[in-house]
Amino acid sequence: MAAIELEGLTKDYGDVLANDGVTFDVERGEIFGYLGPNGAGKTTTIRTLLGFLSPTAGTAKLLGHDVTDEGELLKAKRELGYLPDSPAFDGTATGRDVLDLHGSIKGDERGEELLDVFEPPLDREIRDYSRGNVQKLGLVTTFMHDPELVILDEPTSGLDPLLQQRFTEFVRAERERGLTVFFSSHILREVRKLCDRVGIIRNGRLVTVEPVESLLTRSGKFVRLQAAESIPIDDLEIDGVHGLAAAADAGPSAADEYAFTFTGDVNDLLEVLRTYELIDLSIEEAPLEEVFMRFYGGEDTPDRGTRDDRVAASVDATNDAVRGDDDV
């Protein structure tokens, strides 16, 4: 049984289709990244999984429990850790007060250990916290009861590079202990470091689900070259060349320097280049951003999920006020 199961999940507001038939599973013990720009529908999926929103159609399960059944959802939440994209705590409470409250509700098997990792300032009032300190406290509350599954929405937002690296190392170690992690992000480098598989969502629709290594293969190579003399652009426009342009930072000899992504056979490229005198040639693994742009294509079109996330935020805030569970 998968840790998360979505089948045809749809959230329709009439003029806004936030999630459109989203279907995928997250296996137990894996780190699954949910990828897409702000407004693509990632947070809507998460809110539906957590029961803050009711799906228009389709099904969703957490740890085998139907999230539309309140009793079943409660069972799932006992084994769940959740970090929202903007954790909100009582501004007049101290960090220690917040941890005491969370511990009394869901348990505190690992609080001291987590404090050593993330180091939030416990004796300061939340209203005096920086964005990063709020995030650090949120991470402690997410993992303190030793959950079986964690759902993280933009987990490294506000963290400095050192804490981001510490978070990465911590999550990798947790996976080795059997933890399942589902997190949304638009920061591709952290997805690349952590994930076993990723799902890419665009305008509420799931574009693909595949292993990170598969995406890296599809991204090809990033090529930068400098020739002793100009190379006719037509000679470089072979199968597999994408985004061919003179290097932007090449300086006075820009006409002799080129940069592009190459997804073809490198031997074919070298066969073309061997007829020219090259001063410099580098062929490196392309950044994962290249894959992302393949799915989004730089199109300047409205994202249907954008308005939905505003609507969902309003619904979420209302539900949280009623349930009192905005950070539990």
Side-chain angles (χ1 to χ4, degrees):
M1 180 179 62
I4 296 176
E5 302 168 78
L6 300 180
E7 181 67 38
L9 188 70
T10 299
K11 185 61 181 178
D12 192 350
Y13 290 97
D15 58 342
V16 176
L17 189 57
N19 279 178
D20 184 5
V22 175
T23 299
F24 64 85
D25 292 345
V26 176
E27 300 301 326
R28 291 176 183 263
E30 80 168 324
I31 301 178
F32 187 96
Y34 201 35
L35 204 59
N38 291 330
K42 303 187 306 296
T43 298
T44 298
T45 304
I46 289 176
R47 286 172 171 151
T48 305
L49 276 172
L50 295 170
F52 297 153
L53 297 173
S54 297
T56 305
T59 61
K61 292 183 178 180
L62 288 176
L63 302 173
H65 300 288
D66 183 349
V67 302
T68 63
D69 183 306
E70 189 171 348
E72 290 292 297
L73 180 61
L74 183 59
K75 292 177 183 178
K77 283 190 172 183
R78 293 192 181 109
E79 302 298 329
L80 175 70
Y82 168 52
L83 181 69
D85 57 346
S86 297
F89 304 110
D90 180 357
T92 64
T94 65
R96 195 173 303 278
D97 292 336
V98 170
L99 293 186
D100 288 344
L101 174 62
H102 279 256
S104 68
I105 295 172
K106 58 190 181 185
D108 183 12
E109 286 82 358
R110 303 184 63 187
E112 290 302 318
E113 171 194 350
L114 293 163
L115 290 174
D116 288 340
V117 175
F118 297 111
E119 301 178 329
L122 295 185
D123 296 320
R124 191 183 308 169
E125 291 186 343
I126 303 300
R127 61 188 172 192
D128 295 327
Y129 270 30
S130 66
R131 176 71 179 88
N133 281 332
V134 170
Q135 198 74 2
K136 288 188 283 186
L137 184 65
L139 286 167
V140 176
T141 62
T142 299
F143 290 93
M144 65 188 296
H145 57 300
D146 200 19
E148 183 177 341
L149 164 69
V150 294
I151 296 177
L152 310 172
D153 198 353
E154 303 289 351
T156 61
S157 176
L159 298 182
D160 63 41
L162 177 61
L163 262 297
Q164 290 179 16
Q165 180 60 32
R166 195 175 298 176
F167 168 80
T168 297
E169 294 170 354
F170 173 78
V171 171
R172 283 174 176 164
E174 291 303 293
R175 178 180 56 186
E176 295 302 313
R177 297 178 65 245
L179 179 70
T180 304
V181 180
F182 175 85
F183 77 94
S184 76
S185 179
H186 65 279
I187 302 175
L188 300 177
R189 64 179 178 274
E190 71 182 18
V191 171
R192 184 175 189 161
K193 290 179 181 178
L194 282 172
C195 292
D196 301 302
R197 292 189 301 148
V198 298
I200 296 180
I201 187 170
R202 176 182 184 178
N203 295 339
R205 293 185 178 182
L206 193 68
V207 178
T208 187
V209 175
E210 55 189 294
V212 168
E213 287 304 317
S214 175
L215 289 181
L216 293 179
T217 299
R218 292 173 63 178
S219 70
K221 304 294 182 181
F222 186 73
V223 179
R224 182 180 290 269
L225 65 91
Q226 181 180 7
E229 58 184 22
S230 296
I231 300 176
I233 291 295
D234 289 348
D235 285 3
L236 294 176
E237 290 180 339
I238 63 175
D239 288 344
V241 171
H242 307 276
L244 176 61
D249 57 351
S253 58
D256 306 330
E257 299 188 27
Y258 308 87
F260 52 89
T261 301
F262 186 65
T263 58
D265 187 330
V266 172
N267 290 322
D268 293 341
L269 176 64
L270 294 178
E271 183 64 26
V272 171
L273 296 178
R274 67 189 296 271
T275 60
Y276 296 95
E277 181 182 350
L278 301 183
I279 297 173
D280 185 47
L281 171 65
S282 65
I283 302 176
E284 303 172 349
E285 183 179 272
L288 195 54
E289 282 82 351
E290 293 291 333
V291 177
F292 192 69
M293 290 309 297
R294 299 285 168 79
F295 290 114
Y296 284 85
E299 297 178 11
D300 187 19
T301 57
D303 192 326
R304 298 188 71 198
T306 301
R307 183 170 180 270
D308 166 62
D309 281 338
R310 295 199 301 269
V311 174
S314 176
V315 175
D316 188 22
T318 302
N319 287 343
D320 290 347
V322 173
R323 302 178 191 207
D325 60 359
D326 53 349
D327 275 301
V328 176

